[in-house]
Amino acid sequence: MSVADLKTEAVSILRTNDRGGYTVPTARLYPYQWNWDSGFTALGWATFDEARAWREIERLFEGQWTDGLVPHIIFHQESSDYFPGPDVWQTSKHDPATSGISQPPVVATMVRKLLEASPDPDGVAERVRALYPKMLAYHRWWWQARDPEDTGLVVILHPWESGMDNSPAWDGALTRVPPPRRTDYVRRDTSHVDAAERPRAADYDRYISLVEGFVERGYEAGRLYRETPFRVADISINAILLRATEDLAILAERFGTGAERAELAGRIALMRQAIADCWSPGRHLFQSVDRVSGERIDHVTSAGFLPLYAGVPTEAQAAEMAAEMARWGEGGFLVPTVPHWEASFDSKRYWRGPVWAVVNFMLADGLARCGQPALSARIRADTRVLIERAGFAEYFDPRDGSGRGGGTFSWTAAVGLAWALE
Ligand code: DGY
């Protein structure tokens, strides 16, 4: 297919996945609005329908809680295609119903991009003015609920919050999670996608058990933070939050107060130093920290390269990371979630091997930012070849380039439109 045809197909995917101001990631497998999916998807909409891009973000904030949390799923309408739905999450205080955890906070970065790409920045200023305090409340929720001790690193309390659900980095911490009380649940994802491309049953048991624990504690933020058995300072979410805070600080120059600008500058400095301390010299990347055991999580996954996206590495570290990443791509496509020589590598299974277009988008941005334009260009070229060969799949096998997971996927289409096929 020509690039023009691919772009036409990408536009048609977003239109088909549109449910009225928000976009489902793909039909059936993910029938609601997902937090970080919507951020990337808005960039795709902006390439041909800017007003619709803004709606995507506005509809996401319809799910925001009064404490600032922007949930990972907004259940705008009912569906029997997905598990666990609102009856399991039981966060009934909110309308529309939502899940009770969050996801990587890319949204402020995307709002800045939308504003800067707008042909009519003054015309959209009112929309940004309305979104700004909501984004600030969301970032403050991360700091207050998930870093109450002001360490500079926020924690996730569920693998779903990382967006990288079955990353091998979570295997150790998940062993502390007891089996679920409810054992009769029926997964729906494996009726839409080959089970070999999804998390294993043992992972799902733990995912459900953690949700049961949240419900039992009434979603009380302090109790969740202190009592949940899975508490991890995820390197990827921290890099994404830092980057989004830098972008929010730029928006604050026009839409915020002096006190807010000072607050954001303070947070940026604190986070930057804390992420810098997660450098793992022998591994050539940064690593997450298990806050329950207090130990560094010694796994190598592509998440460890994301501090590039927040401009954290020194020049020498960035060069070392680029060399390491290039090694991961030998004989295959960049950037696998796990390099093929690791015991945990599984080329088809979700976040244990496959290439994800949105991760490539962030890593290429980070490499360019940190003085590594050649590898940045290679990642973009690989992403484009994967899309040309396999279409807008949810993720791709890094060895043979085949498409895996859901098809006609919104964020892959969006990243194609906004970047890879540009
Ligand atoms: C899923 O259901 O697979 C999602 O990743 C959870 O948000």
Side-chain angles (χ1 to χ4, degrees), residues 9-246:
E9 192 188 327
V11 168
S12 137
I13 286 172
L14 294 191
R15 291 207 166 112
T16 305
N17 290 344
D18 186 1
R19 295 291 180 275
Y22 72 94
T23 316
V24 297
T26 190
R28 308 205 62 205
L29 180 61
Y30 301 116
Y32 309 110
Q33 184 173 25
W34 260 261
N35 181 333
W36 75 325
D37 290 74
S38 269
F40 292 106
T41 300
L43 291 187
W45 280 110
T47 65
F48 63 97
D49 185 347
E50 189 198 353
R52 179 61 185 75
W54 290 106
R55 278 306 288 150
E56 186 78 27
I57 307 285
E58 289 161 356
R59 294 229 61 189
L60 175 65
F61 279 97
E62 287 173 15
Q64 185 167 34
W65 290 15
T66 50
D67 65 0
L69 166 74
V70 180
H72 95 301
I73 307 176
I74 321 295
F75 300 110
H76 288 289
Q77 60 186 32
E78 286 179 21
S79 170
S80 56
D81 277 325
Y82 185 81
F83 177 87
D87 55 320
V88 177
W89 286 99
Q90 294 183 45
T91 61
S92 49
K93 278 173 284 183
H94 201 277
D95 181 26
T98 68
S99 73
I101 56 172
S102 199
Q103 234 180 3
V106 297
V107 63
T109 299
M110 303 313 163
V111 167
R112 179 184 171 193
K113 282 184 192 289
L114 293 186
L115 178 64
E116 289 180 353
S118 175
D120 180 19
D122 289 330
V124 297
E126 285 319 302
R127 297 187 105 139
V128 183
R129 196 178 302 285
L131 286 168
Y132 169 80
K134 298 177 183 179
M135 296 189 289
L136 180 62
Y138 181 34
H139 284 226
R140 283 177 173 158
W141 173 83
W142 276 108
W143 298 321
Q144 285 157 10
R146 299 309 185 78
D147 184 20
E149 290 149 280
D150 285 336
T151 66
L153 295 179
V154 299
V155 295
I156 56 168
L157 302 182
H158 195 297
W160 285 337
E161 288 199 306
S162 71
M164 305 182 181
D165 307 0
N166 65 339
S167 163
W170 313 147
D171 291 356
L174 281 176
T175 60
R176 281 194 301 267
V177 178
R181 266 181 294 103
R182 179 176 172 188
T183 50
D184 62 342
Y185 70 86
V186 180
R187 283 174 68 171
R188 296 306 321 273
D189 58 321
T190 42
S191 55
H192 309 307
V193 166
D194 185 344
E197 298 170 21
R198 294 287 304 172
R200 294 174 196 274
D203 296 320
Y204 252 79
D205 276 354
R206 285 186 170 92
Y207 301 160
I208 298 308
S209 165
L210 285 167
V211 175
E212 289 174 347
F214 302 152
V215 173
E216 269 166 33
R217 291 172 179 82
Y219 291 98
E220 207 259 282
R223 285 193 67 195
L224 261 49
Y225 180 81
R226 287 188 305 274
E227 298 172 13
T228 300
F230 181 93
R231 194 166 77 245
V232 169
D234 168 18
I235 194 64
S236 137
I237 220 158
N238 278 285
I240 288 170
L241 180 62
L242 172 56
R243 169 60 183 267
T245 306
E246 291 178 323

